[in-house]
Amino acid sequence: MATSKLVVIAAFSKTDEGELVPAFEPRLVDTEERAIREARLMASHYAGVLAWSRDADPALGDYGPPSILFQAGEIPEIE
């Protein structure tokens, strides 16, 4: 099976105590360009927004390192 690419957008809000929490479940999108475009649009609405991608072969459980496509505001560290 060929390796595919996971492209994900995540956004974060802050609690009243200032803790970063996911604003919604990470969203898979079809292209890196779309992820960047959508993340830019969301950036003014959340404490932090991140669009990233990684090569993946889910059948084998192999995942490459994440590559950040767009980042704005505060985000937690990603694995």
Side-chain angles (χ1 to χ4, degrees), residues 17-59:
E17 293 79 32
E19 180 183 356
L20 285 174
V21 295
F24 51 78
E25 288 293 318
R27 296 180 188 161
L28 289 175
V29 293
D30 54 351
T31 67
E32 292 180 345
E33 293 79 15
R34 181 175 174 189
I36 293 167
R37 185 175 59 248
E38 289 186 20
R40 285 180 195 269
L41 291 172
M42 288 191 277
S44 64
H45 301 285
Y46 296 99
V49 176
L50 178 67
W52 57 274
S53 67
R54 69 173 16 157
D55 291 331
D57 188 340

Side-chain angles (χ1 to χ4, degrees), residues 4-26:
S4 61
K5 187 170 287 244
L6 293 177
V7 183
V8 180
I9 298 172
F12 303 91
S13 298
K14 280 192 170 183
T15 65
D16 291 339
E17 293 79 32
E19 180 183 356
L20 285 174
V21 295
F24 51 78
E25 288 293 318

